[in-house]
Each structure stands twice: as structure tokens, then as C-alpha cells.
Amino acid sequence: MLKTAVIHPTIMEALARSGHFAQVVIADGNLPVGAVTGPNSTMVHLNFRPGLLDAVTVLEGILEVCPVQGAIVMQRPAEANAEIHLVYKKLLGNVTWDEMERWAFYDKIREPATTLIIQTGEQRRFANLILTVGVVKMTEESDF
């Protein structure tokens, strides 16, 4: 039995084998996940229906069990709304943050470093998020 908030066995297994600099993708309901899966990616579908499970809820769960040091989102067109990026920044706090052109973003997901892709039922556009796994710091370690 697990005492953590995240109990999905496939997600926990993929996170457990995701070392420093591994990439974890939280995908919205529109990302063509089958077309961007890389050679080391485990795919988890949590998109039971539109809106369930949303990307913010998944991010909150991942942050409870996994250190994150960086985040990348897809650049939005000037006329598009991507308020979810502000929500992500607030939840992630002090991590490196980058925006990437759409096709480069897809290529980034295909990299061998991507170990987990979680497709959500998120309906907000431009909600796709690539997380870079950090390290678990020992109590006696300082910031480095």
C-alpha cells in the first residue's frame, strides 16, 4: 500500500526510473501523443472524458512525488489565450522556464530523455507541459 497521493502504478513506476534530467510530459487532450512518443516513453491515458483529469491536478500530484527543476511550454500564437501557463508558473515556483515553438516542442517530447507522457482530459489550449526531473537533495546538502 502506498501512502502518497499518487497511486497510479504505471505513473509511479515510470517516475521511479526517471532520473535527473529525465522529461515528464503532461499533455492536454489535443496533443497527438501517439505521433510524439519517443523510444523510452511510457504512455498513460487519463483522458476518460473531456475535462477529466485536468493538467493542473496531474501537475499537483507529480510535484508531490517528484522533484522538478525545469519546465517547457509550447509558444502560443499572439491571439491565443494561455492563462494556464501562469497557473503552472505559480505551482512550479523557482524552476527554469522556457517556451518552445510548436514543432520544436514536439521534437523535444520525442527525445530519448522523455520517460513518461501523461495524456489528460485538459481542454484548455496550449496546456502541454514538459517537466525536467530534478534531484532529491540530501538534508546536509546546500543549494548547488
Side-chain angles (χ1 to χ4, degrees):
M1 298 298 294
L2 300 174
K3 293 176 74 173
T4 177
V6 178
I7 60 172
H8 192 285
T10 306
I11 291 174
M12 293 299 287
E13 185 272 334
L15 289 175
R17 64 179 171 76
S18 298
H20 191 209
F21 296 117
Q23 296 176 165
V24 173
V25 177
I26 299 175
D28 64 27
N30 297 306
L31 186 75
V33 293
V36 296
T37 301
N40 299 316
S41 300
T42 295
M43 179 82 62
V44 174
H45 297 279
L46 298 180
N47 52 338
F48 178 68
R49 71 177 199 203
L52 292 177
L53 203 59
D54 69 271
V56 172
T57 301
V58 172
L59 175 58
E60 289 170 338
I62 296 299
L63 291 174
E64 288 185 32
V65 297
C66 184
V68 173
Q69 71 180 37
I72 304 170
V73 292
M74 186 185 299
Q75 286 177 341
R76 64 172 181 81
E79 67 279 2
N81 178 355
E83 290 179 8
I84 194 167
H85 293 180
L86 300 175
V87 176
Y88 289 160
K89 283 182 179 181
K90 183 176 179 180
L91 286 171
L92 289 163
N94 189 24
V95 303
T96 60
W97 181 266
D98 198 10
E99 294 185 6
M100 193 173 277
E101 181 273 330
R102 175 186 307 246
W103 302 110
F105 186 86
Y106 291 160
D107 288 342
K108 184 77 172 160
I109 294 172
R110 288 185 188 99
E111 290 180 357
T114 300
T115 55
L116 176 61
I117 301 173
I118 304 170
Q119 178 126 52
T120 69
E122 181 63 64
Q123 294 299 290
R124 289 174 278 192
R125 295 188 64 219
F126 301 100
N128 300 305
L129 177 65
I130 301 172
L131 302 171
T132 302
V133 175
V135 296
V136 177
K137 293 183 180 178
M138 304 302 285
T139 308
E140 63 274 2
E141 289 179 321
S142 62
D143 292 330
F144 62 89

